[in-house]
């Protein structure tokens, strides 16, 4: 026969005890994670990567202290890199490390700034030391190249996501803004455009291409080259600049809006790589270039009187650049192919 006391025993045995046990375990896990978090910071972040002389106090206190150069302003940019949104779950950790900083550097490049310091907010579902080791390899590889010190950050648990804030410097009057383009200025693009988007399509299984091109295209997607030196060389030469993250036809609109001008882009002059054209042909290549995104090349405008200076300064930076159009008074973007109006099939990537 069932009694009150046997109900109480039943409740204690099957409900209360397991709940207490789960809570107890939860607190143990949280405490252990906290200890692990400090070990992780010590092992992977404190004292790692290049150490600049202008870092007065790095990782370990509540804030970092840095000494900016005289006569320069601080240039700040922040980008989040979230699994599922910005990278596929099978992306190699070293490439995630590289790209999570590269995309931030691309913004500094677009302002003509020299990078100097960064912070890293890392959210991970669990502590996977092998992943962390490889992530750091990629991160410090590009940080070494541009001499950027990691001066702080945050480490938390959650869906995998990386936010880097990068700080650079530039003389204030030399910052390249989106708002400086004038009617008649020539429009240029560095490197080649469209490769990264095709690389992504290959990774997603939407396209198949020959193996030599495949490696190059995926490389362009995983490890974009931020045009940091080109950006600095454009100081005093370019009237405006932007980096290409969402696709040329979408990104250029920001320049046109900020500068209150229009533009003609000759799509037949867009710099397409051999790998892109040999894989999908010129027509599709142009579509990748216009709408694909994630090229992290610079688009910039130069007044006619500065074209000579441009040749000198960019050859010095060793970067290929191509004239793709001209700023107009019309307030709209006109795409032209061989002198005829070109209608694009798609638009740039939008998150929302
Ligand atoms: P607080 O609780 O005061 O914000 P934390 O305990 O989170 O400090 O971090 C301790 C130190 O380690 C700080 O100097 C912080 O900037 C640094 N830090 C934490 N996580 C990272 C990380 N992922 N990368 C670099 N530095 C980090
Ligand atoms: Mg604190």
């Amino acid at each position: 026969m069932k009694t009150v006391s046997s109900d109480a025993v039943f409740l204690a045995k099957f409900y209360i005890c397991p709940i207490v046990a789960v809570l107890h375990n939860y607190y143990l896990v949280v405490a252990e994670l906290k200890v692990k978090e400090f070990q992780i910071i010590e092992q992977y972040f404190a004292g790692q990567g290049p150490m600049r002389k202008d870092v007065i106090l790095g990782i370990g206190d509540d804030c970092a202290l840095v000494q900016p150069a005289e006569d320069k302003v601080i240039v700040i940019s922040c980008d989040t890199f979230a699994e599922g949104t910005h990278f596929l779950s099978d992306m190699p950790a070293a490439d995630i490390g590289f790209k999570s900083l590269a995309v931030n550097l691309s913004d500094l490049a677009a302002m003509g700034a020299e990078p100097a310091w960064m912070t890293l907010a890392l959210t991970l579902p669990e502590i996977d030391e092998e992943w962390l080791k490889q992530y750091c390899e990629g991160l410090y590889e590009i940080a070494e190249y541009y001499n950027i010190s990691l001066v702080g950050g945050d480490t938390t648990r959650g869906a995998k996501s990386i936010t880097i804030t990068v700080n650079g410097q530039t003389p204030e009057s030399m910052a390249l803004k989106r708002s400086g383009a004038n009617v008649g200025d020539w429009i240029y693009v560095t490197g080649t455009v469209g490769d990264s988007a095709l690389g992504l399509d290959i990774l997603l299984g939407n396209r198949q291409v020959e193996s030599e091109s495949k490696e190059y295209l995926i490389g362009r997607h995983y490890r974009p080259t931020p045009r940091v030196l080109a950006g600095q060389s454009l100081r005093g030469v370019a009237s405006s600049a932007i980096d290409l993250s969402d696709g040329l036809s979408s990104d250029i609109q920001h320049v046109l809006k900020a500068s209150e001008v229009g533009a003609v882009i000759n799509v037949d002059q867009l710099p397409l790589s051999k790998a892109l054209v040999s894989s999908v042909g010129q027509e599709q290549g142009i579509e990748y270039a216009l709408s694909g995104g994630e090229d992290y090349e610079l688009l910039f405008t130069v007044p006619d009187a500065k074209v000579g200076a441009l040749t000198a300064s960019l050859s010095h930076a060793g970067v290929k650049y191509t004239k793709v159009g001209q700023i107009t008074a019309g307030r709209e973007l006109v795409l032209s192919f061989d002198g005829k109006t070109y209608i694009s099939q798609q638009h740039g990537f939008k998150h929302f």
Side-chain angles (χ1 to χ4, degrees):
M1 193 178 92
K2 236 176 154 206
T3 64
V4 175
S5 71
S6 71
D7 270 356
V9 169
F10 181 87
L11 267 178
K13 192 166 170 191
F14 291 102
Y15 289 93
I16 299 170
C17 289
I19 290 171
V20 169
V22 164
L23 283 177
H24 181 70
N25 276 343
Y26 174 77
Y27 285 115
L28 281 183
V29 166
V30 169
E32 189 190 284
L33 269 177
K34 203 71 207 162
V35 171
K36 273 232 161 152
E37 181 191 316
F38 294 126
Q39 285 171 358
I40 292 295
I41 294 168
E42 275 302 310
Q43 193 171 339
Y44 294 97
F45 304 123
Q48 304 294 316
M51 286 299 141
R52 295 169 59 96
K53 289 200 188 76
D54 52 13
V55 177
I56 299 164
L57 183 64
I59 291 172
D61 213 312
D62 293 311
C63 292
L65 303 175
V66 297
Q67 180 67 61
E70 262 180 60
D71 309 327
K72 286 190 181 158
V73 290
I74 307 273
V75 187
I76 307 168
S77 178
C78 172
D79 259 313
T80 291
F81 213 56
E83 186 173 80
T85 308
H86 303 95
F87 63 92
L88 304 169
S89 55
D90 59 358
M91 180 166 173
D95 294 331
I96 297 175
F98 187 98
K99 192 170 177 180
S100 59
L101 178 54
V103 302
N104 275 280
L105 293 180
S106 178
D107 284 318
L108 286 193
M111 299 302 286
E114 312 135 38
W117 318 290
M118 63 169 163
T119 60
L120 167 67
L122 201 53
T123 307
L124 299 172
E126 77 221 316
I127 289 170
D128 175 346
E129 295 227 26
E130 192 48 39
W131 188 91
L132 265 169
K133 202 173 129 240
Q134 285 170 24
Y135 175 83
C136 286
E137 260 173 42
L139 178 75
Y140 296 135
E141 183 185 332
I142 184 167
E144 290 281 355
Y145 188 83
Y146 292 108
N147 193 26
I148 304 161
S149 291
L150 178 64
V151 296
D154 196 23
T155 308
T156 50
R157 202 144 97 115
K160 197 178 273 174
S161 170
I162 298 129
T163 300
I164 291 183
T165 302
V166 78
N167 293 249
Q169 309 181 87
T170 191
E172 185 189 344
S173 59
M174 295 277 179
L176 302 174
K177 299 181 196 134
R178 296 175 178 185
S179 55
N182 288 303
V183 176
D185 288 358
W186 300 105
I187 304 169
Y188 295 85
V189 172
T190 60
T192 59
V193 280
D195 298 334
S196 172
L198 177 55
L200 177 61
D201 262 354
I202 295 166
L203 287 165
L204 291 172
N206 297 337
R207 290 260 182 194
Q208 264 156 14
V209 308
E210 59 176 85
S211 63
E212 199 182 309
S213 301
K214 181 175 164 183
E215 204 177 306
Y216 165 82
L217 294 162
I218 291 176
R220 291 276 287 160
H221 181 70
Y222 277 163
R223 291 194 173 221
T225 308
R227 299 299 182 185
V228 174
L229 298 181
Q232 287 167 50
S233 306
L234 290 172
R235 287 178 185 165
V237 176
S239 51
S240 74
I242 190 168
D243 71 316
L244 298 177
S245 52
D246 294 338
L248 192 151
S249 63
S250 158
D251 289 320
I252 193 178
Q253 299 283 0
H254 301 303
V255 172
L256 304 186
K257 192 164 175 231
S259 301
E260 302 182 338
V261 291
V264 178
I265 295 286
N266 302 311
V267 298
D268 49 322
Q269 287 164 16
L270 289 172
L272 309 180
S273 70
K274 277 196 195 119
L276 180 68
V277 176
S278 70
S279 302
V280 298
Q282 192 197 18
E283 206 175 307
Q284 281 300 305
I286 288 171
E287 287 300 319
Y288 275 108
L290 287 174
S291 329
E294 295 211 74
D295 291 309
Y296 299 105
E297 295 293 347
L298 297 181
L299 178 143
F300 56 95
T301 58
V302 178
D304 200 45
K306 295 264 174 82
V307 169
L310 172 70
T311 315
S313 58
L314 274 196
S315 65
H316 188 68
V319 179
K320 168 188 147 93
Y321 62 99
T322 308
K323 189 196 275 184
V324 297
Q326 194 169 24
I327 296 294
T328 61
R331 293 284 186 111
E332 58 179 20
L333 175 64
V334 175
L335 301 178
S336 159
F337 187 106
D338 236 353
K340 295 186 201 76
T341 304
Y342 177 87
I343 311 285
S344 173
Q345 297 156 13
Q346 299 156 39
H347 296 283
F349 181 80
K350 289 202 183 69
H351 279 285
F352 298 105

